[in-house]
Amino acid sequence: MAVKNAMTSDFLHSAYGGESMAHMRYLYWAQVANKEGFPNIAKLFKAIAYAEQVHANNHFREIAGNTADATVTAGAVFGDGKTVDNLQGAINGELHEVEQMYPVYLNAAKFQGESGAERSFYYALEAEKIHADLFAQAQKAAKDGKDFDFTSVYICPICGHTVLDEAPDKCPVCGAKKEKYKEF
Ligand code: FE2
Ligand code: FE2
Ligand code: FE2
């Protein structure tokens, strides 16, 4: 169902822009982490880049042909730093989404009765909480000169739910089955 209200439409466009940039930024920072000898941190960036793509696609679908002059909310650093600094940029961006952006967007969508946008914002908000935490753990390791210790990252392709080492039987956010999860 396409969005009807201008304010929620603006927020979908802004969130689409922010997620798209996060996707690209994380792919780039994955390359940097690989070069610095952190293959697992690189893998985490790649996996979470995919989760941000899932969010962008969800928002894009809700926009459904509606055009708007929207500013883009992207509370993150840009450019090429060391992995420890890039992880700080990632943490800041995720926390901006968790504390500022998505709670406001989610409540606006609720207030305007935009159920599709509400679902899309809710999915993103739940995943970004996990992303902030995982990037913080990765940064702790990197500060000690170590890689982040895990075997695989699993991403739900419906909502972007992110989990280390084993996918749950059912996604706790959207209910998708274990077999749907994409492994990195
Ligand atoms: Fe996201
Ligand atoms: Fe995220
Ligand atoms: Fe999910």
Side-chain angles (χ1 to χ4, degrees), residues 25-91:
R25 191 160 51 225
Y26 291 168
L27 288 180
Y28 186 81
W29 286 343
Q31 292 176 14
V32 177
N34 255 330
K35 267 188 230 145
E36 284 182 38
F38 298 125
N40 265 6
I41 293 175
K43 201 196 271 187
L44 184 71
F45 271 128
K46 256 184 90 179
I48 293 183
Y50 172 67
E52 312 309 5
Q53 184 183 351
V54 169
H55 297 156
N57 287 345
N58 286 344
H59 299 334
F60 190 76
R61 231 176 281 124
E62 294 304 326
I63 293 165
N66 189 323
T67 54
D69 296 324
T71 52
V72 169
T73 302
V77 302
F78 290 83
D80 183 6
K82 288 269 186 202
T83 291
V84 171
D85 307 317
N86 296 340
L87 284 165
Q88 190 59 51
I91 292 164

Side-chain angles (χ1 to χ4, degrees), residues 19 22 51-52 55-56 94 97 102 124 127-128 131:
E19 295 287 356
E52 312 309 5
H55 297 156
E94 299 287 347
E97 290 178 312
Y102 279 125
E128 318 309 6
H131 296 169

